[in-house]
Amino acid sequence: RSNQLGGVAKPIPPETPAESVVVGEGEERFAIEKMHAHGGLGEVFVALDRQLNRRVAFKQIREQWLHHPDANDRFLQEAEITGRLEHPGVVPVYAVGVRSDGRSFYAMRFIRGDNLEEAIRAFHDEADASLSLRSEERRVGKECRSRWSPYH
């Protein structure tokens, strides 16, 4: 498990309870378990949704943007727009809120697997391999035609 402290994920000793996020009426709904990824505006953790007893992706605005109203508005707009979309290719949003430290967050389905950057890289690696194979097939075909065409 890890915890976000000072902008860097720090390990949490096993005996330390997971970080909890207070949402509405003092209920501790989300227990952050570990850092998953981060970007320019937000950071994503794997968390346990105690209310629904399932793992979720817990995205919160990065601490450096906490006191920037425009950044916070963009972050909340992202959550709202994503939450309104209903499509098999769009991850559903389960909750939106504000942490006790003032940071906005939203929780969504956690999808296991490659991130977008890794998927794009794998696609291009596969495409490059496929192009190499097709190039080799064309070369062999051309060689065969040049050797056998005078006899047919």
Side-chain angles (χ1 to χ4, degrees):
R1 295 181 322 185
S2 63
N3 185 4
Q4 183 65 19
L5 298 174
V8 178
K10 304 283 185 186
I12 298 176
E15 65 278 356
T16 304
E19 178 181 357
S20 294
V21 176
V22 178
V23 187
E25 301 180 10
E27 179 183 352
E28 294 179 350
R29 180 170 176 182
F30 300 100
I32 293 176
E33 297 177 341
K34 65 181 179 177
M35 170 68 86
H36 180 67
H38 61 86
L41 190 59
E43 52 196 6
V44 180
F45 297 88
V46 177
L48 174 65
D49 180 341
R50 291 180 176 142
Q51 188 177 61
L52 298 171
N53 195 30
R54 62 180 168 189
R55 297 280 179 277
V56 298
F58 182 89
K59 185 172 185 177
Q60 67 183 14
I61 195 163
R62 294 179 72 164
E63 189 172 5
Q64 69 194 59
W65 298 110
L66 180 60
H67 301 293
H68 294 264
D70 290 342
N72 196 59
D73 289 347
R74 280 195 313 273
F75 183 84
L76 290 173
Q77 184 179 34
E78 174 186 311
E80 181 183 342
I81 290 169
T82 304
R84 286 189 296 196
L85 295 173
E86 292 189 32
H87 184 275
V90 177
V91 179
V93 173
Y94 299 139
V96 177
V98 178
R99 294 180 50 147
S100 58
D101 67 1
R103 280 195 270 183
S104 299
F105 74 88
Y106 61 101
M108 57 197 143
R109 177 183 295 154
F110 180 72
I111 307 291
R112 285 178 174 76
D114 295 339
N115 65 32
L116 182 58
E117 182 179 345
E118 291 165 347
I120 290 170
R121 186 178 306 114
F123 173 81
H124 286 290
D125 289 348
E126 187 176 304
D128 290 345
S130 179
L131 285 173
S132 295
L133 179 60
R134 280 184 273 179
S135 177
E136 184 64 15
E137 288 171 344
R138 281 193 296 275
R139 187 191 67 73
V140 169
K142 187 176 182 180
E143 181 72 21
C144 289
R145 284 189 301 279
S146 69
R147 288 185 181 209
W148 297 105
S149 63
Y151 303 107
H152 290 104

